[in-house]
Amino acid sequence: MINTAWRVALGVVASSAFFWGVAGAVDLGLERTRNGYALPDGSGWYNLAVFAGFIVAYFSVASLTDTTAGRHAALVPAAGAWFGVVSCLLIGQQTRHWVAAAVVALIGSALPLVVHRRNRTRRARLGTDGPT
């Protein structure tokens, strides 16, 4: 993908799908199987959203941070995380939903800082650490 706008849109949609899948997994809970723990039957869409969303979001956000996409590229995964917070609290109001929403909010707040520091370190290493 050459166009930055498409990568941003894909990153937001994929990270939103990932965090929506996490919210659904929290709602369904885990069940014990012979091989360990898994999501119960009927959680196919949540499984697909978690795995596909993670893979697509990882590569789109990595491609945004490896190029000169600008300083606002760090907000791409945060937008998906905040969608996950809202989804988690709309699905349920039990303690596990609130804990999951708090963890996802923490991740959503930390991701822009991590991406920003990564870009800043890269620019400093290249000797171009100036105002952007």
Side-chain angles (χ1 to χ4, degrees), residues 9-130:
L10 182 64
V12 169
V13 169
S15 61
S16 297
F18 171 73
F19 287 112
W20 174 79
V22 169
V26 167
D27 185 52
L28 292 176
L30 296 175
E31 70 178 17
R32 187 163 176 85
T33 63
R34 291 181 302 162
N35 300 328
Y37 289 94
L39 288 174
D41 290 340
S43 63
W45 287 110
Y46 293 130
N47 284 333
L48 179 67
V50 168
F51 293 120
F54 177 77
I55 290 169
V56 173
Y58 177 77
F59 286 115
S60 68
V61 171
S63 71
L64 282 171
T65 59
D66 287 343
T67 62
T68 56
R71 62 182 173 201
H72 300 296
L75 298 176
V76 171
W82 288 108
F83 179 78
V85 168
V86 171
S87 296
C88 195
L89 292 177
L90 286 176
I91 289 174
Q93 295 289 317
Q94 297 173 340
T95 304
R96 63 182 173 183
H97 296 100
W98 283 98
V99 169
V103 169
V104 170
L106 182 65
I107 291 169
S109 300
L111 282 174
L113 296 173
V114 169
V115 173
H116 176 70
R117 287 188 59 103
R118 180 179 174 197
N119 286 342
R120 187 173 178 183
T121 303
R122 183 178 299 126
R123 285 193 310 264
R125 198 173 333 130
L126 295 174
T128 59
D129 194 20

Side-chain angles (χ1 to χ4, degrees), residues 1-8:
M1 291 182 131
I2 296 172
N3 191 349
T4 303
W6 280 108
R7 285 185 293 182
V8 167

